[in-house]
Amino acid sequence: MTTKPYHHGNLRDSLLDAADALLAQDGAQALTLREVAKAAGVSHAAPYHHFASREQLLAAVAARAFAALATAMAAADGDRARDQGVRLMDICEVYVEFARARPAQFRLMFGPMLAQKAHYPDLKQAAESAFHVLVVAATAFDAARGPELALTGWSLAHGLANLAIDEAFTDLPIAVPAPAVLARAMAARMLGLQGGVDQ
Amino acid sequence: MTTKPYHHGNLRDSLLDAADALLAQDGAQALTLREVAKAAGVSHAAPYHHFASREQLLAAVAARAFAALATAMAAADGDRARDQGVRLMDICEVYVEFARARPAQFRLMFGPMLAQKAHYPDLKQAAESAFHVLVVAATAFDAARGPELALTGWSLAHGLANLAIDEAFTDLPIAVPAPAVLARAMAARMLGLQGGVDQ
DNA sequence: ACTCCAATCTTTACACTGGAAAGATCTGTA
DNA sequence: TACAGATCTTTCCAGTGTAAAGATTGGAGT
């Protein structure tokens, strides 16, 4: 039998992984440092040697999630052969689907807990690198209106993503298409292309 | 000297008021039931005779905030003489400005804490009544595309509001107009009107 | 090989939180 | 006036984040 070593060896990453897993189950609200520590197989105070506080741990988790989002958005933008407008629609769809696939992570990224991102430089930079993908794609579509399109597209995708995972669209007195469809339709309208959902 | 009565008399509302005030100061994260009780001048267990849990108290606060938002939106839509498109732009602007004026309340309304609104019927109804104002205004603007416009406008305003209070627009490598200006410009583009921010 | 230091992890302790339970006080109604 | 229910307080408990101090380990320099 292999006796457990005193030193974990890779505790920092293990804690982040454990927190990620627990997050998906119960949401950030119910995430406990002690549970994270237990899941990683260490004592409840061990995390403090890698993170100054519970918030810092969560900020690190959120930073990793932002990196994943940026990667997914960049992948959607990756196929340079396609039409530029389609690529922007793809980015919006990926954004919304990311939120729907990882609602707890998405809420953590933008939620009130880490609202003052200025306190977490790494987190802020990770968030900006994701936005940067959108700015570049929007500028490629229309150099003059690029920044405005990026802001509008971000707002659109962000609002849709939030409302979708909050289930604000369920039991509404009007017919609502699937989020992914909505994302493409809204993006198309924003770009001045045809392709509205109702035609 | 008037000795304090054993019965508070209007504790439920006082608790909601106190919670509202504390919310604006420190955010929902830091809001403590015991502080709320102290602010209302009662013992720390008194709130449990009016709210089953901390979450229920916060849900009630959020429901009141939704009612206030619906009122503000209805007021923006109130002047029936104006152009229908302008009224929709007004609603979007009011939505964003509400979030900026009461960020903590706004985050509470849509945040993860009360994500499963199905558990709080009053809250859900209050949220839907606010959305209803938008649906009616959008349908008045364009009967056929009303629902789609309402969903798009809501997503747009909601995303912009969230990003604005998260200060996601600060230190961005592009020039960003004031949120209220952005709200009007985005709404105008969505409606197919002129009035983009860059012209 | 030995020493010593710094990093890593554990143990112990504390203040604070949300909530349960039981008792005290008041208010309306018969 | 008696009493029943609503309202509020007191007391208590488990769980949480975090601080502090001690135990264990690996590695660098001699």
Side-chain angles (χ1 to χ4, degrees):
Chain A
M1 66 180 199
T2 65
T3 169
K4 194 163 40 174
Y6 191 90
H7 283 347
H8 182 286
N10 194 19
L11 183 53
R12 196 192 142 94
D13 285 343
S14 294
L15 289 171
L16 289 178
D17 292 341
D20 233 350
L22 290 176
L23 204 57
Q25 286 187 1
D26 309 319
Q29 198 65 31
L31 187 142
T32 283
L33 253 188
R34 292 164 117 99
E35 275 187 49
V36 173
K38 187 190 295 182
V42 293
S43 84
H44 72 268
Y48 283 88
H49 293 271
H50 297 272
F51 302 97
S53 67
R54 185 188 111 115
E55 252 188 43
Q56 296 270 356
L57 187 264
L58 290 177
V61 171
R64 283 208 318 190
F66 264 119
L69 174 59
T71 299
M73 288 170 65
D77 186 48
D79 187 352
R80 304 273 157 174
R82 279 172 306 158
D83 177 71
Q84 196 65 44
V86 172
R87 283 160 62 181
L88 274 171
M89 290 166 62
D90 286 344
I91 293 179
C92 286
E93 181 179 352
V94 159
Y95 192 97
V96 172
E97 287 305 317
F98 180 94
R100 279 168 32 93
R102 299 178 176 82
Q105 276 85 350
F106 187 81
R107 277 196 261 259
L108 175 65
M109 287 185 253
F110 295 99
M113 193 163 289
L114 310 173
Q116 335 91 310
K117 291 205 177 43
H119 294 179
Y120 309 95
D122 292 355
L123 177 59
K124 180 161 183 127
Q125 189 185 341
E128 283 175 5
S129 81
F131 179 57
H132 187 250
V133 175
L134 184 57
V135 172
V136 168
T139 303
F141 177 83
D142 183 332
R145 283 172 52 204
E148 183 204 350
L149 279 181
L151 289 179
T152 305
W154 194 11
S155 296
L156 209 46
H158 191 64
L160 178 54
N162 271 290
L163 294 174
I165 64 177
D166 282 350
E167 298 190 44
F169 292 155
T170 58
D171 302 332
L172 232 47
I174 60 181
V176 179
V181 175
L182 269 178
R184 301 193 76 85
M186 290 181 180
R189 273 217 194 284
M190 172 191 80
L191 297 174
L193 310 174
Q194 91 300 355
V197 72
D198 56 356
Q199 65 185 12
Chain B
M1 66 182 194
T2 65
T3 166
K4 192 163 38 173
Y6 190 89
H7 283 346
H8 183 286
N10 193 19
L11 182 55
R12 196 192 143 93
D13 286 343
S14 293
L15 288 171
L16 289 177
D17 292 341
D20 233 351
L22 289 176
L23 205 56
Q25 286 185 1
D26 308 320
Q29 199 64 32
L31 186 142
T32 282
L33 253 190
R34 292 166 116 98
E35 274 186 50
V36 173
K38 187 189 294 183
V42 293
S43 85
H44 76 266
Y48 285 89
H49 294 271
H50 297 273
F51 302 97
S53 69
R54 187 189 110 116
E55 252 187 42
Q56 296 271 357
L57 187 264
L58 290 177
V61 171
R64 284 210 317 191
F66 264 118
L69 174 60
T71 300
M73 287 169 65
D77 186 47
D79 188 352
R80 304 275 158 169
R82 279 171 305 157
D83 176 72
Q84 194 66 42
V86 172
R87 283 159 64 180
L88 273 171
M89 289 165 62
D90 286 344
I91 293 179
C92 286
E93 181 180 352
V94 159
Y95 193 96
V96 172
E97 287 305 317
F98 180 93
R100 279 170 30 94
R102 299 178 177 82
Q105 276 84 350
F106 186 81
R107 277 196 261 258
L108 175 65
M109 287 186 254
F110 295 99
M113 193 162 292
L114 309 173
Q116 337 91 308
K117 290 203 178 48
H119 294 179
Y120 310 95
D122 293 356
L123 177 60
K124 181 163 183 127
Q125 190 185 342
E128 283 175 4
S129 80
F131 179 57
H132 187 250
V133 175
L134 183 58
V135 172
V136 169
T139 303
F141 177 83
D142 184 331
R145 283 173 52 205
E148 184 204 349
L149 279 181
L151 288 180
T152 305
W154 193 12
S155 295
L156 209 46
H158 191 65
L160 179 54
N162 271 290
L163 294 173
I165 64 178
D166 281 351
E167 299 190 43
F169 292 154
T170 58
D171 303 332
L172 233 46
I174 60 179
V176 180
V181 176
L182 269 179
R184 301 193 76 84
M186 290 182 182
R189 271 216 195 283
M190 173 189 79
L191 298 173
L193 309 173
Q194 90 300 354
V197 70
D198 56 356
Q199 62 189 12

